[in-house]
Every structure is written in C-alpha cells, then in structure tokens.
C-alpha cells in the first residue's frame, strides 16, 4: 500500500529537453480502460535527430507525447507531425476517439519583435503571455489546422531543460484537461430543451395538484412519477460526466496559475484567452447539473406531497368505513336484543299455551288444577326461558 502511494508522487515525471524542439501531444479516449501508467521510449529519426515518445494512461484518457529535437532553428513550422492514426498506434489505442491534438514549437532566444515572428509562422490573431516570471513567452492563435492540431509557439529565454519540460507539460495539460472538461458540453446542449420541458411539466403538475379534487391525486401521482423517472435517468446518465468537468476545470485553472504569466503589450494574455472562452462552457455544464438536481428534488417533494394526500384520503376512507362498520354493529346489537326479547316472549307464550292445553285436558279428565297455579307459572316460565337464552348467548361468545 505504501508503495502505491509513493508511486503517485512520481507517476507524471516532467519532460527533459532543450530547444529548438517540436512537441506533438495527443489525448485519446480508449476503447478499453486501463490502469494508470507511464511508458517512455527513445528512438532515432531518419535524419538523426533524437526523439522521445511518452505514453501515459490516465484514469479516463490516454496521452502520447513525442518530443523531436531539431538540429537548427526553423524558419517555418516543421511539417513532421504524425497523423491521428499514427499517434494512436504509438499510444496502443487504435480506434480510440481523439480528444485533442497539440503541436508546440520551442525556440531558443529572446522574443524580440514578436509580431513579425508570429507572422512568419502563420499565426493570426494571437494570444501572448510572458510565463515563468519572464523566463519564456507562449503564443497561440488556438486555431485547429487540417491535421486537427492547434499550434503553440514557445520562446525560451532562460529556462533550463528541466523547467522547460515542466512548462511544456503544463501547456499540454491545459489543452488536454480543457478538452476533457468540454466533453460534457454536448450533453448540456442536448439536455437544454429537455430541461425546459421538464420545468414546464413540473409547473403544470404542481398547479393541477393545487386545484385537483381528492379523487384526482392518484392520476397526478402516476404522471409525476413518470416525470421523476425521466429526470433521475438523465441525472444518472450525466452525473459522472458533469462531475468530471468540474474536476478538470479546476486542474485547468491550476495549470494556468502555475504558468505565472504576465501581460505582453499589444496582446491578450494566453491564460485569459482560454479562461474567458472556457469558463462559460464549464458554467453551462455546472448549471445543467444543478438544474437536474433541483428538478429531481422538486419532483420528489411533489411525489411526497401527493403520497401524503393519498394517504390522508385512504385514512379518511378507512375511518369512514370503520365508523360504518361500528354503526352496523350497533344496529345489529339492537336488532339482536330486540330479537332476543321477541324470542323470550314467543317461547314463553308457546310454553304457557302448552301448559294451558295440558291444564284444560287434565280438567276434562276430572283432575282440577287451581287457576292460581297457572298464574304463578307465567313468571316462572318467562324467567326460565330468559335464563336459557342468556346461557346460550354466553356459550356462543365463549366459542368466538
């Protein structure tokens, strides 16, 4: 574990070279992700100049940097750049997507009469800065040529080979991370009309919820759940890309600050040119990510509100049903009690009728029964029937 942490301190060594030199740098999105690593080789060109090739596998992209030492100061831009396919082969990433390509020409000497020198190399409207506390000048018009590469001219006045390598690496990283950060811009543009639709639909659903009758909440819940699913899907698909944009943008700003650039009279500063055109795109991506998060929270809040309203409606219905059941039970108790009363009367009447028939039969047979006995039997029969019915009722309750 300690070895892995220590390796990170040396994972991105600086370039070491002297001018004049041509540096070609390209970044690719690989088809298959690999572990971060660095590979450095040294070869000889056909005309005897030393050339370094450095391949670096970052977390999300791969870069290849080729440094060619020039035998003399060129009077025009050297045309020894390799094609996109050749650089991809050097990186071992054939078929990968090219993110950025950069060509840096490093010349020794003080940048005197910088305007005519820029015209010599075909630069148009150029941004120029003194960097490294006046130790060098960096110039670029940020135009992409037919070879898909943007060109940067660096006049080295007093940087040694180590500082020169670090300065060139910073310039390469500015362009690489700037391009990586802007990968989210097409996503932000794609989502822009969708976000307008989502906002409009959310406002409509919120307004309908405020005006809806109690029975309309379930339909609204289905619609807002569908909207929430779309927003969550869009958020999940772009969260990593927008998060990476924020991280890459911070690196770009850090690398520009590390240039320690100062103004050159008559020219816009190199870093200012990048930031003024780069920062609005980053803010657009960040604003899109924020709008997605806000929409996601708003839809979830509306869902919670609708679910609460539906739950209250269900509880109200349950309470109504419980009250209805209680009323029916009370009615049934009253009916049962009435039935029990009628049952006592009916059974008692039936038994007393039997006793009367029996008494009359015995009287005809010559056995006279005192009418007072019949009168006494009435309360006895009623009491007996009532007691019997109550015992049956308690027995039934005990079984339940």
């Amino acid at each position: 574990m300690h070895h892995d942490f220590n390796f990170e301190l040396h994972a991105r060594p600086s370039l070491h070279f002297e001018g004049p030199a041509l540096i070609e740098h390209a970044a690719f999105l690989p088809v298959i992700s690999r572990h971060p690593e660095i590979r450095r080789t040294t070869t000889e060109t056909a005309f005897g100049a030393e050339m370094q090739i450095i391949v670096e596998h970052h977390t999300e992209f791969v870069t290849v940097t080729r440094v060619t030492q020039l035998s003399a100061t060129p009077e025009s831009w050297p045309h020894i750049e390799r094609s996109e396919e050749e650089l991809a082969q050097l990186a071992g990433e054939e078929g990968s997507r090219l993110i950025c390509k950069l060509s840096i020409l490093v010349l020794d000497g003080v940048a005197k009469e910088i305007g005519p020198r820029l015209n010599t190399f075909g630069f148009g409207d150029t941004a120029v800065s003194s960097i490294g506390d006046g130790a060098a000048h960096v110039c670029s018009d940020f135009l992409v040529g037919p070879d898909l590469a943007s060109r940067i001219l660096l006049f080295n006045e007093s940087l040694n080979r180590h500082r020169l390598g670090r300065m060139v690496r910073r310039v390469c990283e500015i362009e690489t991370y700037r391009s990586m950060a802007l990968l989210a811009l097409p996503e932000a543009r794609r989502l822009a009309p969708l976000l307008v639709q989502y906002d409009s639909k959310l406002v409509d659903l919120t307004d309908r919820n405020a005006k809806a009758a109690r029975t309309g909440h379930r339909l609204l819940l289905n619609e807002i759940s569908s909207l929430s699913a779309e927003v969550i899907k869009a958020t999940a698909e772009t969260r990593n890309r927008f998060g990476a944009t924020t991280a890459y943008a911070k690196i770009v700003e850090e690398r520009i600050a590390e240039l320690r650039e100062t103004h050159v009279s008559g020219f816009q500063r190199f870093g200012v040119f990048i930031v003024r055109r780069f920062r609005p795109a980053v803010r657009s991506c960040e604003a899109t990510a924020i709008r997605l998060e806000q929409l996601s929270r708003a839809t979830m809040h509306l869902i919670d509100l609708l679910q609460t309203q539906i739950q209250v409606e269900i509880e109200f219905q349950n309470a109504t049903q419980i009250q209805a059941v209680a009323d029916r039970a009370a009615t049934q108790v009253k009916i049962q009690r009435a039935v029990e009363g009628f049952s006592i009367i009916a059974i008692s009447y039936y038994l007393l009728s039997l006793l009367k028939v029996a008494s009359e039969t015995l009287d005809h047979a010559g056995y006279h029964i005192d009418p007072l006995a019949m009168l006494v039997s009435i309360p006895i029969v009623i009491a007996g029937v009532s007691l019997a019915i109550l015992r049956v009722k308690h027995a039934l309750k005990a079984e339940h």
Side-chain angles (χ1 to χ4, degrees), residues 43 45 210 223 335:
T43 61
T45 64
E223 294 187 42
I335 293 173

Side-chain angles (χ1 to χ4, degrees), residues 41-58:
T41 62
T42 302
T43 61
E44 293 290 325
T45 64
F47 42 85
E50 185 183 74
M51 181 176 65
Q52 300 179 62
I53 298 174
I54 301 175
V55 178
E56 299 178 64
H57 291 274
H58 299 254

Side-chain angles (χ1 to χ4, degrees), residues 226-240:
S226 176
L227 175 61
S228 179
E230 294 181 28
V231 174
I232 291 174
K233 180 176 179 291
T235 303
E237 290 174 344
T238 57
R239 180 183 290 111
N240 290 341

Side-chain angles (χ1 to χ4, degrees), residues 71-202:
S71 57
T73 300
E75 295 299 325
S76 61
W77 200 272
H79 294 287
I80 59 174
E81 298 90 344
R82 295 192 179 188
S83 66
E84 172 188 339
E85 291 76 14
E86 291 174 310
L87 290 173
Q89 288 176 357
L90 288 176
E93 299 294 339
E94 292 86 351
S96 297
R97 176 185 173 187
L98 178 67
I99 298 302
C100 75
K101 186 178 178 185
L102 184 64
S103 181
I104 304 176
L105 180 60
V106 177
L107 302 178
D108 291 329
V110 179
K112 295 181 178 179
E113 298 182 356
I114 197 168
R117 295 291 300 276
L118 293 174
N119 293 332
T120 300
F121 289 99
F123 281 80
D125 187 9
T126 310
V128 180
S129 287
S130 175
I131 58 176
D133 296 328
H137 283 75
V138 61
C139 321
S140 179
D141 56 7
F142 298 97
L143 297 177
V144 177
D147 60 349
L148 303 180
S150 57
R151 300 186 304 164
I152 293 179
L153 187 61
L154 192 148
F155 294 101
N156 179 26
E157 300 176 13
S158 59
L159 296 173
N160 59 34
R161 63 194 311 267
H162 296 281
R163 292 184 63 199
L164 177 60
R166 289 195 296 271
M167 197 65 70
V168 168
R169 173 178 281 279
R170 288 166 187 158
V171 173
C172 291
E173 288 179 343
I174 288 171
E175 285 299 296
T176 300
Y177 287 114
R178 181 177 68 88
S179 299
M180 289 298 299
L182 294 181
L183 286 178
L185 188 57
E187 288 295 316
R189 289 172 175 169
R190 178 184 68 85
L191 288 173
L194 292 177
L195 290 176
V196 173
Q197 295 178 15
Y198 295 159
D199 276 326
S200 177
K201 191 170 184 179
L202 180 60

